[in-house]
Structure formats: structure tokens, C-alpha cells
Amino acid sequence: MILGVAGPYASGKGEVVQFLEERSFCSGSLSDEIRLVLAERGQEETRERMIETGVELRTAEGPGALAERLLTHIEPDRNYVVDSIRHPAEVAALRALGERFRLIWVDADEETRLARMKSRGRNGDPESLEELRRLEGRERESEDPAGQQLNAVHDLADDHLRNDGTLEALYEGLQALLQRNLYFERPAWDEYFMSIAKVVASRSNCVKRKVAAVLTVDRRIISTGYNGTPRGTRNCNEGGCPRCNAFGPGGTDLGECVCSHAEENAITQSAYHGVSVRGSTIYTTLCPCLMCTKMIINAGISEVVYSAAYPMGEVSVDLFREAGIKIRQIGDGSA
């Protein structure tokens, strides 16, 4: 879940962020992106300078610049709370995360917010309702496309939280909001194992193509393999395979290639460690070649799942089907 938090001064955004942090949400702030710039410039942080620098960054990089910068820090395996959202383009950038993102607008009446600001005594906080309205005016609407536009952000909110009462009431509202908007996503098994195979491929030392295979039994990985020269010999990327280093046409002169294929290595690694592959499923980033096809059939593997096609792949597919082995292509075909 990525929960965005927006609202006017002293509405309780900080309390919302703290509540979520205590529940294992990682926090991020668009204002922190501005603070990083000020720190790089050696400039002191003031409210006026924060606003001016934010406008400067939106003008130079686009109105969604602050959110786009923050998105580079977002990891897919964590929940986040993001505050200091002040422009509709920032909301649009965060919406690129899909259903994971929800925008919460936190608000309270002016008198309550002014009393909170007086109580906290921050430098630069307004002392009267007139001053509060004047200060907020430049944040709520702006003719400058790069200026802050809180009113437009308000209109884009998915949920609204009132914070005119006690903290306990705010927390109860937040708890109910979390339960209403719980978002949970898990990859299907095929996607899970193929994504692991693509990571395994990054270990390949072949200069022509990085390929990997993952062998599974009962949704448990028993072996992995990637293409490259045999154990104890010079790596392909170090000149170990003359054919690969000559960049010969794909699917030709395979008998001259020193590199072992990913499927071959996954199967031989199982044999090396005394693990049977009979009845297993092999996930491979590339449709097996004819040599690996024969090895897969004779090893007793029952299913082949691949991502990208390969020259002579039709021959391999036909042979698998003749041998009674299930074969499927999944994904976008990229390996």
C-alpha cells in the first residue's frame, strides 16, 4: 500500500504519518526532496525557501517532479506513507503505482488548526486567522502551473479524514480507512519462478545472451542454472568460448560452442548434488534448443515453461509434445 497524505497547515498530517510509521509503513515526503536540494546548495531551510525551491523544481523538471524523484526510492515489498503532496501532477505521478496508491485528505476547521499552530510555536506560523488565510492562499491556488495547488489535490482525494476532535478519534478513523483500503498483491507461481529465473540469468558469463533455468518440484526450487563455460574453465566473457566471442548467428554451429546451456546446467547441478529431477517443472527464460530438449525429455522432466522464443524452437516444441511433456510460453516474451 502507498498512502498519500495531504491537507492544510496543522490538520494532523504528521499524526497520520506517525500512526502509519508505528504500523511498519515506511515514510517519504516530497518536502524531503526539496530539503535534499537545499542541503546540496548549502542553503538554510525556511518555509519561503521551501516553497520557492519546490516551484523551481516543478518548473525545471515538470509539475510532478518531486513525486517522480521520490518514486525512485519506492520498493515493491513495503508499505509507504507519502506526505507533502501539494500539486495534482504529483498525485498523477503517484497514481502510476496503480491500485497500490490511495490519497488521504486530512482536514480540520481553521480555528482548531490556528490553535494547534499557536500551541506548537513554530517559527513563521501565523498568529491570526487573517494571517493563516493569507499564508495558505498561495498554497491552495496558483496561476503558475508549477505553483502549489492544494485545492486541486483536495478534489483528487480518495478518502477524507476529519481531525477536529481527539487523537483517539483520528486513529479510529485511520484504522477503519486501512481496513477499507487494504491492498495485497502476490505474483502467481509461474510469474514467481520466471522472475527468479531472470535474476539467475544475471549470473551468466556468456557474451551473446544471458539465459537461466529454474527446476521446481511441488512449488519448491530444487536447482538453478545459467549458461556459461564449464566449471573450472575460462569464462565466456573472458574469451573462453571462441564461437560466442565471434558472435556467430543464433542457432547455428552449436556443436562448436563451449558454453553449457542453462537447462543443461540446471539438470547437471541436480545430478551433481544427488537430487532427482523426475516429474519436475523447468522454467527457462528461453525456449530450449534441440540438445536441451532431448536432455529434458530423457531426464524425466514433466513440464516446460519458457518466456522467449528461440531459433528452431518449433522443432523443440513438437518433440516435447510427441514425448507427452507439457510446454507453455508465458509473459511478454522478454528474457
Side-chain angles (χ1 to χ4, degrees):
M1 299 169 67
I2 313 291
L3 298 180
V5 180
Y9 292 141
S11 58
K13 301 185 296 296
E15 295 293 345
V16 171
V17 171
Q18 182 177 336
F19 177 90
L20 294 170
E21 285 178 332
E22 291 171 354
R23 283 148 184 82
S24 302
F25 278 71
C26 299
S27 62
S29 171
L30 301 195
S31 292
D32 287 343
E33 301 302 315
I34 301 175
R35 292 186 180 98
L36 289 172
V37 173
L38 292 178
E40 290 171 359
R41 296 174 178 177
Q43 295 178 328
E44 181 183 357
E45 177 188 327
T46 65
R47 176 172 288 166
E48 292 296 320
R49 189 168 284 145
M50 290 283 289
I51 293 173
E52 292 168 359
T53 306
V55 171
E56 176 191 335
L57 290 173
R58 293 188 193 98
T59 301
E61 302 177 19
L66 299 180
E68 290 163 2
R69 285 179 172 227
L70 182 135
L71 283 173
T72 63
H73 312 314
I74 297 291
E75 300 290 343
D77 58 343
R78 302 172 190 174
N79 291 329
Y80 285 87
V81 54
V82 178
D83 72 347
S84 301
I85 300 170
R86 296 186 173 93
H87 195 285
E90 295 165 352
V91 179
L94 292 165
R95 292 251 189 246
L97 294 165
E99 295 181 14
R100 294 180 67 194
F101 177 74
R102 301 283 293 182
L103 178 62
I104 305 169
W105 180 267
V106 187
D107 211 341
D109 61 54
E110 290 180 327
E111 290 79 7
T112 300
R113 295 192 289 112
L114 181 62
R116 289 173 184 162
M117 285 185 271
K118 288 182 177 180
S119 175
R120 71 190 184 185
R122 288 184 188 171
N123 183 35
D125 275 348
E127 295 291 334
S128 66
L129 284 176
E130 291 73 19
E131 190 179 355
L132 172 60
R133 290 164 184 163
R134 180 189 62 79
L135 193 62
E136 285 189 336
R138 66 182 297 185
E139 293 198 8
R140 286 188 173 273
E141 292 181 324
S142 175
E143 294 182 0
D144 183 351
Q148 297 185 19
Q149 300 179 24
L150 271 180
N151 286 348
V153 172
H154 166 274
D155 295 340
L156 295 171
D158 300 296
D159 294 279
H160 295 259
L161 278 178
R162 293 297 303 181
N163 184 30
D164 298 297
T166 63
L167 281 177
E168 288 72 20
L170 175 65
Y171 295 159
E172 287 178 7
L174 266 172
Q175 191 68 44
L177 184 150
L178 286 175
Q179 292 170 348
R180 287 197 309 272
N181 294 302
L182 178 64
Y183 179 78
F184 197 83
E185 183 179 19
R186 299 174 73 193
W189 286 109
D190 280 349
E191 181 185 354
Y192 172 69
F193 289 125
M194 191 62 76
S195 66
I196 293 174
K198 290 180 179 180
V199 173
V200 173
S202 67
R203 282 286 304 165
S204 168
N205 64 60
C206 181
V207 299
K208 284 196 65 180
R209 194 193 323 246
K210 292 177 179 287
V211 184
V214 171
L215 277 165
T216 71
V217 172
D218 296 329
R219 296 175 177 173
R220 174 175 55 88
I221 294 175
I222 61 170
S223 180
T224 65
Y226 51 83
N227 60 326
T229 50
R231 186 194 308 270
T233 65
R234 190 162 43 137
N235 287 335
C236 181
N237 63 300
E238 297 169 340
C241 179
R243 176 187 173 275
C244 287
N245 281 269
F247 287 89
T252 64
D253 300 323
L254 296 182
E256 299 177 8
C257 184
V258 177
C259 291
S260 297
H261 289 191
E263 303 91 331
E264 176 186 359
N265 276 332
I267 293 169
T268 55
Q269 281 298 306
S270 292
Y272 186 84
H273 294 285
V275 178
S276 173
V277 301
R278 185 176 181 180
S280 65
T281 296
I282 189 166
Y283 290 84
T284 178
T285 59
L286 194 65
C287 182
C289 70
L290 189 55
M291 177 188 71
C292 289
T293 295
K294 293 182 286 186
M295 186 177 297
I296 288 168
I297 293 171
N298 287 338
I301 294 170
S302 61
E303 185 175 22
V304 177
V305 184
Y306 69 95
S307 176
Y310 180 74
M312 295 179 62
E314 292 182 2
V315 177
S316 296
V317 170
D318 290 343
L319 199 59
F320 280 131
R321 288 174 176 159
E322 183 181 348
I325 293 174
K326 298 178 183 176
I327 181 162
R328 296 183 287 121
Q329 182 177 14
I330 64 169
D332 58 6
S334 61

